Amino acid sequence: MKTLMEMTAGYLREVISFCSQVGQLRAEGEKMRQILSLVPGRPSTEDKTVRIDQVCEDIFRNHLKKCPVRIKVLSEHGTFGDENPQYFCALDPFDGSGIFRRGLAREFYSALTFFDLRGEPVCGGTADILQQSIYLASPQGVVHISSEGVAVKVSASCKRKLDGEAVIAAYLMNRDYRRTWEKETRKLGDKFPGLLVWPNGGSCIYQYIASGQVHAYVMFKEPRSEIDPGLAFAKFSPFPVVSVDKDGGLKRYRFEPEKQSERVSFFIAACTKELLRNIIEVIRLP
């Protein structure tokens, strides 16, 4: 466990250091925006692999080489590592590449979770690259470490019921996601017109639920590669993450190796079980 936590923190800090240099070197920044390929399981209109994705993944590969533990890595961009692993790792090396590719300096992250062979989270973390801070999740809880190195333990909100002050996250920067979300959640907006919808999500969102800044994340057709890297926060905060079937039945979401390109039809993570059920009730109102 100590080895994996040290690797997590070391990797996230190196990503922050590298990306801060890219931000200062405009020519290098243009190079980092180069499109390399499509993301497995995604249409070209949704996501692409750009060079900064590859470079951040290469940083992780270098840490992996020095790690005495056998790890198989399920990245958003492919699978690598040991074929006889002691642990799995779900990795999103650079979350926000679509924004980065368009030259906007907003919301860049790197996220990962380590799992045991049963698929249970062991530890993980996220780098908030622009804020130069990291969040770490372990059996001891969730900690935010600021750019000055100050570590503070954080916790999820205890909010149990929807109201106009709730903060719900959803990735709405893509037309297909946005259209589906607006259609499926119309009753949510009708009942709570003051609801704040933060239009970003994916693997970057889980530390914000774990720290109480966001109350829930609601998505449709969510790729597993956007869920798995954040699951350490759900485990150790803790808060529920579920898939919802057509009849409103709930099933605990679980990491499954080699399935990162698959999707979840209706997915919710929320700070409490009560809030999660309340959101589903409103969405499913007749």
Side-chain angles (χ1 to χ4, degrees):
M1 167 65 76
K2 182 180 178 182
T3 297
L4 296 179
M5 284 300 298
E6 289 175 347
M7 182 177 176
T8 298
Y11 161 72
L12 294 175
R13 290 191 178 105
E14 187 171 346
V15 165
I16 289 172
S17 176
F18 170 78
C19 291
S20 66
Q21 296 173 35
V22 169
Q24 296 166 12
L25 302 172
R26 294 192 177 277
E28 185 70 9
E30 283 296 322
K31 179 182 175 183
M32 289 296 129
R33 286 192 271 273
Q34 179 187 357
I35 297 171
L36 301 181
S37 65
L38 297 181
V39 174
R42 311 280 191 94
S44 61
T45 53
E46 182 181 332
D47 204 359
K48 298 179 178 70
T49 299
V50 298
R51 187 166 297 279
I52 199 165
D53 291 308
Q54 183 186 67
V55 172
C56 291
E57 188 173 281
D58 286 344
I59 292 173
F60 188 82
R61 287 175 186 265
N62 288 335
H63 281 265
L64 193 63
K65 290 176 184 176
K66 296 177 282 186
C67 182
V69 179
R70 300 191 308 274
I71 300 168
K72 187 171 187 177
V73 184
L74 296 313
S75 171
E76 183 179 49
H77 308 284
T79 300
F80 58 92
D82 202 295
E83 289 301 322
N84 182 30
Q86 296 167 280
Y87 297 95
F88 295 106
C89 178
L91 172 69
D92 189 345
F94 188 89
D95 192 23
S97 55
I99 302 172
F100 176 81
R101 184 166 57 84
R102 292 166 172 84
L104 298 171
R106 296 290 184 274
E107 301 202 48
F108 303 150
Y109 306 90
S110 185
L112 71 157
T113 289
F114 287 100
F115 299 86
D116 64 23
L117 298 185
R118 298 169 300 157
E120 288 295 324
V122 174
C123 65
T126 299
D128 184 333
I129 292 170
L130 294 179
Q131 296 299 317
Q132 298 191 349
S133 68
I134 64 175
Y135 292 81
L136 298 175
S138 73
Q140 285 69 53
V142 178
V143 174
H144 174 241
I145 305 175
S146 71
S147 58
E148 292 80 23
V150 178
V152 177
K153 193 168 184 178
V154 296
S155 58
S157 169
C158 59
K159 195 175 192 65
R160 290 176 170 80
K161 200 165 183 64
L162 278 171
D163 56 34
E165 298 303 309
V167 180
I168 307 295
Y171 183 76
L172 304 179
M173 294 188 223
N174 170 272
R175 184 190 66 168
D176 293 336
Y177 282 123
R178 185 169 59 251
R179 285 181 171 179
T180 301
W181 203 89
E182 289 174 347
K183 176 184 175 183
E184 297 291 343
T185 64
R186 179 178 54 82
K187 291 167 185 172
L188 197 65
D190 290 346
K191 188 166 184 178
F192 300 102
L195 192 74
L196 178 64
V197 179
W198 182 17
N200 197 11
S203 62
C204 69
I205 206 65
Y206 297 92
Q207 77 276 4
Y208 290 132
I209 300 176
S211 59
Q213 298 175 73
V214 171
H215 297 119
Y217 179 55
V218 180
M219 279 299 290
F220 303 88
K221 300 179 182 178
E222 180 77 336
R224 281 179 167 267
S225 60
E226 297 288 355
I227 302 171
D228 297 338
L231 288 179
F233 293 101
K235 172 77 172 181
F236 299 118
S237 185
F239 56 85
V241 289
V242 304
S243 60
V244 186
D245 64 28
K246 293 180 179 179
D247 298 321
L250 308 184
K251 182 179 179 181
R252 179 194 169 202
Y253 177 88
R254 291 183 59 85
F255 166 76
E256 295 185 44
E258 307 287 1
K259 292 189 176 182
Q260 64 262 46
S261 62
E262 294 184 4
R263 295 178 184 259
V264 180
S265 296
F266 182 4
F267 174 83
I268 299 185
C271 58
T272 64
K273 292 179 181 177
E274 294 85 355
L275 181 63
L276 185 146
R277 291 184 180 277
N278 189 205
I279 291 171
I280 295 169
E281 287 169 4
V282 175
I283 288 175
R284 296 301 194 203
L285 281 172

